[in-house]
Amino acid sequence: LQPHGRYCSKNRKFDLMWYRFWTLNLICKLGFFVLFTFGLALSAKAEIENIDSYQLRDLIAEGVVVIDVRTEAEWRDTGIIHKSHLITFFDPDGRYDVKNWMGKLKKIATKNEPVIIICRSGRRSLIVAEYLSENEGYNKVYNAVAGINGWNRAKLNLEDF
């Protein structure tokens, strides 16, 4: 036993090798911690911004693409926003076909362009916005939090489907 209470063998070469291994192990653990911590912060996750109906109107005026993910029956019931792209995400039974839907979206908006997602009330659009952000790498996704219901409450113009 050494004066400081740590075990030391009589073989200095072994002790030096053990110390180097311990130090390298500690450095590796710290390195992984730093990479993991900062890697999460720098991930390719897009920013999702919740917007109200007036912000939606202003973004449309700036030329940001609007994707209406409601069903055809909902479009007929309430009408649609002028120049919105109608791409149903969930069918009436709640099923979806991501591959088919993404094929349609990619013809309209690239990952580097901002895109607005709208549904009836904001619930489905948030699911789609999160999917685009987390799984498809879209850089800027807007979620119309009140959906078409909020657009109607704000008495903004709709077109018949």
Side-chain angles (χ1 to χ4, degrees), residues 6-152:
R6 291 191 191 147
Y7 172 78
C8 252
S9 73
K10 294 180 181 179
N11 184 344
R12 284 180 67 69
K13 199 174 195 180
F14 174 80
D15 289 342
L16 184 60
M17 204 167 65
W18 181 86
Y19 177 76
R20 285 181 180 165
F21 171 78
W22 182 84
T23 305
L24 184 61
N25 188 9
L26 180 63
I27 290 169
C28 287
K29 287 179 182 177
L30 288 172
F32 281 121
F33 173 78
V34 169
L35 284 174
F36 180 76
T37 302
F38 291 107
L40 288 178
L42 298 174
S43 68
K45 185 176 179 182
E47 179 184 344
I48 297 174
E49 185 176 335
N50 290 318
I51 57 171
D52 64 25
S53 297
Y54 299 107
Q55 291 169 307
L56 172 57
R57 178 196 59 199
D58 295 344
L59 288 167
I60 292 170
E62 293 173 17
V64 178
V65 172
V66 179
I67 307 296
D68 189 330
V69 298
R70 298 177 298 148
T71 64
E72 185 175 330
E74 290 174 299
W75 299 328
R76 290 188 192 289
D77 185 42
T78 61
I80 59 173
I81 296 173
H82 180 67
K83 293 186 179 180
S84 62
H85 297 272
L86 312 177
I87 312 175
T88 298
F89 190 84
F90 295 101
D91 71 13
D93 296 322
R95 293 182 302 242
Y96 54 90
D97 180 354
V98 173
K99 186 176 180 181
N100 182 38
W101 191 85
M102 285 302 303
K104 293 175 183 177
L105 178 64
K106 287 178 181 177
K107 293 176 184 174
I108 299 165
T110 68
K111 294 179 182 186
N112 297 325
E113 296 173 302
V115 63
I116 302 166
I117 308 297
I118 189 168
C119 67
R120 184 178 52 84
S121 64
R123 186 181 66 82
R124 287 175 289 174
S125 60
L126 180 59
I127 293 168
V128 174
E130 287 176 344
Y131 175 80
L132 291 175
S133 168
E134 295 172 7
N135 300 96
E136 297 295 333
Y138 274 72
N139 293 330
K140 183 66 176 183
V141 183
Y142 295 98
N143 173 44
V145 292
I148 205 73
N149 290 343
W151 185 269
N152 277 332

